[in-house]
Amino acid sequence: MTSRKTTIALFVAIAVAGSVFVSFPAGIARAYPVQHAVNVLAAVMLGPGPAVLIAFLTGLVRVITGTGSLLAFPGGMIGAFLAGMLYKYYGKVWLTAVGEIFGTGIIASLIAVPYVKIIMGTSFTALFFMPVFFVSSASGALLGCIIAVRLKETKFAHQLQKH
């Protein structure tokens, strides 16, 4: 039997390692879809709270190790929260993916504008962030959705959802 803490640590490790090895050009920046796939999986298997915690810890590790920016926090956490809430209330994996895409691709890209101004001291418009956030979250959410549908029927997933 796997504990929730172990599963959370495993998801963080997958998201951090995935960000190092899996990325692709998306306009002016790079897309890192593994974080978004992990957000969908965590939302389905663990719920909104742990999904947000995983996104936060992943962002923290990536910032500390120099493999991510401060934008990892709003980008990952908002999508994870919305994905988790939609799955909690509706129980549909596809809605979880929509929550991740809308939370990260739209809401987080809008929040990134004042966040970057205040925290990082630079200015950009929402249209600067939105295409990259959207492409990254959509590709990762699709991947996470496909994996979540397959994992949902496993004994492991049922054990996690009981706790």
Side-chain angles (χ1 to χ4, degrees):
M1 182 183 251
T2 304
S3 76
R4 286 175 74 84
K5 289 178 188 174
T6 303
T7 305
I8 288 169
L10 180 63
F11 275 137
V12 171
I14 290 168
V16 170
S19 70
V20 173
F21 296 111
V22 181
S23 68
F24 60 88
I28 55 169
R30 295 193 69 75
Y32 297 93
V34 175
Q35 172 67 60
H36 307 289
V38 167
N39 284 354
V40 170
L41 291 169
V44 169
M45 296 175 74
L46 301 171
V52 172
L53 177 62
I54 290 163
F56 172 77
L57 292 173
T58 299
L60 185 62
V61 171
R62 289 189 64 214
V63 167
I64 289 170
T65 60
T67 61
S69 74
L70 293 173
L71 290 172
F73 293 111
M77 294 170 63
I78 294 168
F81 175 75
L82 194 53
M85 294 306 288
L86 286 173
Y87 188 77
K88 179 179 179 177
Y89 288 107
Y90 298 103
K92 306 278 187 204
V93 174
W94 70 269
L95 270 178
T96 307
V98 169
E100 173 64 25
I101 294 166
F102 187 76
T104 300
I106 307 298
I107 297 172
S109 66
L110 295 173
I111 288 175
V113 175
Y115 177 81
V116 166
K117 179 72 173 164
I118 294 166
I119 304 295
M120 301 169 90
T122 59
S123 293
F124 295 102
T125 66
L127 294 178
F128 182 81
F129 297 110
M130 200 172 287
V132 177
F133 278 36
F134 190 84
V135 167
S136 186
S137 63
S139 59
L142 177 62
L143 176 63
C145 189
I146 292 167
I147 295 169
V149 167
R150 298 295 303 234
L151 284 178
K152 227 176 115 174
E153 302 306 318
T154 66
K155 184 178 178 184
F156 177 69
H158 290 292
Q159 285 178 338
L160 282 175
Q161 291 171 343
K162 286 180 189 175
H163 296 324

